[in-house]
Amino acid sequence: MAGRQILTTTRLILRELTAGDLPFVADILAHPEVMAHYPDWIVAEGPQAWLDRQLQRYTGDGYGPWLALRLEDDAPVGQIGLARQDVNGSWETEVGYLLQRPFWGHGYATEGAAACIRYGLETLGCSRIVALIRAENRPSQAVAERLGMDQDGTALHAGLEHRVYATRVAPELGGR
Ligand SMILES: CC(C)(COP(=O)(O)OP(=O)(O)OC[C@H]1O[C@@H](n2cnc3c(N)ncnc32)[C@H](O)[C@@H]1OP(=O)(O)O)[C@@H](O)C(=O)NCCC(=O)NCCS
């Protein structure tokens, strides 16, 4: 069964993950470079726990990290979406992006995340969207900066110190 489609951008469709996407999740978790900035326990829990967590977010919060498929060939490029997170004791909505290694360097994360930020601010009515990023994760910080997000303090997330990036404005991104 296909997952519920949420957003379309110039090159991507974002849809809900389904039980059938377990092999895709397993591929992501098996790639050490892709998972380099995530805590070891997340990888150790395995793909079924990861997938179940996202499905629970859809049911409980109404949104979550979605599967990004490339429009031209349906290739699963990664996970891009929104997640409700406790940030220093307040519930906030985080934009997240995680791409399979072959799809880095094409602007897909920025393109998908821009649509998610707009959706969070305009459709969900969030007052701001945050991104929680490890200090050493420069590629992720570059995405946040391209999206017009600024650093606003730090937070402990999944047991690790993260920078909090935030924006209250939907990004206007021109094509290339
Ligand atoms: C974070 C992550 C998604 C960033 O990937 P990325 O490919 O650098 O980001 P984008 O998809 O936005 O692509 C931007 C790059 O594509 C280039 N690009 C190529 N064609 C492009 C196009 N048509 N449009 C826009 N950018 C394009 C940009 O110049 C930029 O390259 P640069 O950084 O060398 O300047 C990726 O490193 C990743 O998945 N990491 C592992 C998971 C992770 O850590 N996630 C974040 C947790 S906080």
Side-chain angles (χ1 to χ4, degrees), residues 5 16 36 44 63 77 81 99 104 118 120 123 140 147 158-159 165 169 175:
Q5 194 172 312
E16 289 185 348
Y63 59 89
V77 309
L99 302 185
W104 293 13
R118 181 172 294 280
T123 303
S140 180
L147 292 165
Y165 283 76
V169 181

Side-chain angles (χ1 to χ4, degrees), residues 8-30:
T8 306
T9 69
T10 308
R11 294 178 296 171
L12 303 172
I13 288 180
L14 304 191
R15 69 148 172 87
E16 289 185 348
L17 290 153
T18 68
D21 295 314
L22 189 63
F24 158 80
V25 172
D27 270 2
I28 281 193
L29 293 191

Side-chain angles (χ1 to χ4, degrees), residues 81-151:
L82 296 170
R84 195 160 176 264
Q85 301 286 11
D86 181 341
V87 180
N88 295 321
S90 298
W91 287 108
E92 302 236 32
T93 300
E94 179 196 24
V95 64
Y97 32 80
L98 183 162
L99 302 185
Q100 298 277 40
R101 187 63 184 90
F103 298 104
W104 293 13
H106 298 275
Y108 294 135
T110 303
E111 181 176 318
C116 291
I117 291 174
R118 181 172 294 280
Y119 182 84
L121 294 171
E122 296 180 358
T123 303
L124 300 179
C126 302
S127 57
R128 73 172 194 167
I129 302 294
V130 300
L132 302 172
I133 306 179
R134 304 270 291 140
E136 60 277 17
N137 194 348
R138 189 57 209 142
S140 180
Q141 290 162 23
V143 174
E145 286 159 11
R146 278 192 293 271
L147 292 165
M149 305 182 93
D150 297 312
Q151 196 187 339

